[in-house]
Amino acid sequence: MPEQTRKRRPYAPRVPMAERREQLLDAALTIIDRDGYDGVSIDAIAREAGVTRPVVYGAYDGLGPLLTALLDRQQDRALGQLFAALPLGADDADPLAVVERAVPALHAMVLADPVTWRAILASPADVPDVVRERIEGDRERVRGVIEQLVTVVLGARAEQLDAEVVAHGILALLDHFGGLVLADPGRFTAERLSAAARSLLAAWLP
Amino acid sequence: MPEQTRKRRPYAPRVPMAERREQLLDAALTIIDRDGYDGVSIDAIAREAGVTRPVVYGAYDGLGPLLTALLDRQQDRALGQLFAALPLGADDADPLAVVERAVPALHAMVLADPVTWRAILASPADVPDVVRERIEGDRERVRGVIEQLVTVVLGARAEQLDAEVVAHGILALLDHFGGLVLADPGRFTAERLSAAARSLLAAWLP
DNA sequence: CCAGAATGCTACACCTGTGTAGTAAATGGA
DNA sequence: TCCATTTACTACACAGGTGTAGCATTCTGG
């Protein structure tokens, strides 16, 4: 009686590369959302996807390239969502209207795709270098857009302001409140945040 | 000829426990500042301090307790510096004066002890749980103080405002600009930040 | 001056992750 | 149907971190 009994791992369903790649990116994103960037490793991704490590190495050349691919994919989603939410066609130049439209739109945006946004908003500091650099770069792009938006919307008033500093401030606020909304949606509702922004801005305008 | 030639590591200077503990905390802080929280391990701390791991285990029961002790020490420094920088005795209730005093004080504060503040401001997300909880708790305390400060300083005007949201916002701004100052002191000077805060606030006041 | 306590070091067993070579199973076209 | 290709798995060697047992050295007080 040959002891062939050594249980062999059941074969994972065979899928073509393209699909496998997508599946691995999903697995990585799931891990990031559940365990943070610390939890991401080739091994963890393989386990999460129900395959073995060589399968992952077959699809990507390592953790760096895999995360880069993930960022490529999420970047489209995130920036697309974001630029859709920002009232960029706002030539009306009414600051109050801009804020009234942007705040609920952004609120809806993060809650509509919490996994993507948690990965971005909760990312900082010790993430793998590839990820860090990528997100930094995107932040800069967004900050530039905000800076322009501020300049345009505030028009003449803007001359008093340090637009770069203001843009940094706005982005910091979006960042922080985005995180709060994700962490505690019941406490930080769109209405509440809109009201706060409105009342601050209303008092500020002439 | 006995082959006693197997080089034995030269003994590190012998120090009493109390001093050794301080030295290990310093080593940990150095590593955090240089390599981020990712780089912190018992092994790395031992190397940085020029001793072997068992020495570290003799002083602390593991990485968690060591980092807790580090936080205990840094907490005093940081909160002491912070509450000294915030104009808490500001019964004069002049918002502009409060900001004019607070911004340069905070700016000086982070630059006076960059290691401590980088460890706090650049901490987020995936730090060991002990550290994360501790810093979160402190943030809440500080936010509470700011909330009160806002209420007091703005007086009657405060009734229009959502003090909690405003305090969150202010703390987010302090956080973010603190990081910017540390990253690029030449670009974000005390004067520039003061001017920006002053001009925003001046326009906002009646 | 010489125990014995205090302090530090070596060495080991264990864990988790990386990356790869070799092998086994599934699949699709001749 | 059957074989070549594609896809997946096993197994190994290596790297770095943890925690501990046991030995070596230094220092101090009697």
Side-chain angles (χ1 to χ4, degrees):
Chain A
M1 180 191 290
E3 22 193 317
Q4 167 56 21
T5 36
R6 284 201 50 200
K7 355 174 178 173
R8 189 177 176 83
R9 175 188 187 129
Y11 263 57
R14 304 170 84 90
V15 279
M17 275 293 280
E19 189 178 339
R20 180 65 84 200
R21 288 205 170 95
E22 283 301 301
Q23 180 195 357
L24 292 176
L25 296 188
D26 289 339
L29 191 54
T30 300
I31 293 168
I32 289 169
D33 195 51
R34 192 183 55 222
D35 308 325
Y37 283 90
D38 269 5
V40 187
S41 68
I42 294 287
D43 196 54
I45 292 169
R47 262 182 283 128
E48 178 72 30
V51 297
T52 55
R53 274 179 291 124
V55 174
V56 181
Y57 283 105
Y60 295 99
D61 284 343
L63 193 57
L66 190 154
L67 289 177
T68 299
L70 176 60
L71 269 281
D72 278 334
R73 196 183 73 170
Q74 299 305 96
Q75 187 177 49
D76 287 344
R77 298 185 187 176
L79 289 184
Q81 290 170 21
L82 181 60
F83 289 140
L86 290 178
L88 291 181
D91 299 299
D92 46 342
D94 176 359
L96 255 179
V98 167
V99 167
E100 291 273 16
R101 224 183 314 153
V103 172
L106 293 169
H107 184 275
M109 178 190 77
V110 295
L111 287 185
D113 191 355
V115 176
T116 292
W117 287 106
R118 227 187 319 268
I120 293 172
L121 295 179
S123 70
D126 286 334
V127 296
D129 285 351
V130 238
V131 180
R132 173 166 191 70
E133 284 159 20
R134 179 63 77 84
I135 291 182
E136 288 283 294
D138 286 349
R139 277 189 67 92
E140 275 306 293
R141 283 181 54 197
V142 172
R143 208 187 48 64
V145 171
I146 291 178
E147 191 169 328
Q148 272 203 300
L149 189 61
V150 166
T151 310
V152 168
V153 168
L154 290 186
R157 278 185 287 262
E159 297 183 5
Q160 307 273 2
L161 296 177
D162 186 331
E164 186 187 359
V165 168
V166 171
H168 265 293
I170 291 177
L171 187 49
L173 291 174
L174 295 182
D175 234 342
H176 183 74
F177 283 106
L180 287 180
V181 167
L182 283 172
D184 197 345
R187 192 174 178 76
F188 297 95
T189 63
E191 294 71 36
R192 185 177 180 193
L193 297 179
S194 286
R198 188 188 319 125
S199 102
L200 278 174
L201 190 58
W204 188 77
L205 291 176
Chain B
M1 179 190 291
E3 23 192 317
Q4 166 58 20
T5 37
R6 283 201 51 199
K7 357 174 176 170
R8 190 177 177 83
R9 175 188 185 127
Y11 264 56
R14 302 172 86 88
V15 274
M17 275 293 280
E19 189 178 339
R20 179 65 83 200
R21 287 206 171 94
E22 283 301 302
Q23 180 195 357
L24 293 176
L25 297 188
D26 289 339
L29 191 55
T30 300
I31 293 168
I32 289 170
D33 195 52
R34 191 183 54 222
D35 308 325
Y37 283 90
D38 270 4
V40 185
S41 67
I42 295 287
D43 198 54
I45 292 170
R47 260 180 284 129
E48 179 71 31
V51 297
T52 55
R53 275 179 291 122
V55 174
V56 181
Y57 283 106
Y60 294 100
D61 283 344
L63 192 57
L66 189 154
L67 290 178
T68 300
L70 176 60
L71 269 283
D72 278 334
R73 196 184 73 169
Q74 299 306 95
Q75 186 177 50
D76 286 344
R77 297 185 187 174
L79 290 184
Q81 289 170 21
L82 182 60
F83 289 140
L86 289 179
L88 291 181
D91 299 298
D92 47 341
D94 176 0
L96 254 179
V98 167
V99 168
E100 291 272 16
R101 223 182 315 152
V103 172
L106 292 169
H107 184 275
M109 179 189 77
V110 296
L111 287 185
D113 191 357
V115 176
T116 291
W117 286 105
R118 225 186 321 269
I120 292 172
L121 295 179
S123 71
D126 286 334
V127 297
D129 285 351
V130 240
V131 180
R132 173 167 191 69
E133 284 160 19
R134 179 61 79 84
I135 291 181
E136 287 283 293
D138 286 349
R139 278 188 67 91
E140 275 307 294
R141 283 181 55 197
V142 172
R143 208 187 47 65
V145 171
I146 291 177
E147 191 170 328
Q148 271 201 300
L149 190 61
V150 167
T151 309
V152 168
V153 168
L154 290 185
R157 279 185 285 264
E159 298 183 6
Q160 306 274 1
L161 295 178
D162 187 332
E164 186 187 359
V165 168
V166 171
H168 266 293
I170 291 178
L171 187 49
L173 292 174
L174 295 183
D175 234 343
H176 184 75
F177 283 106
L180 286 181
V181 167
L182 283 173
D184 198 344
R187 192 173 178 75
F188 297 95
T189 62
E191 294 71 37
R192 185 176 180 194
L193 297 179
S194 287
R198 187 188 319 123
S199 101
L200 278 174
L201 190 57
W204 189 77
L205 291 175

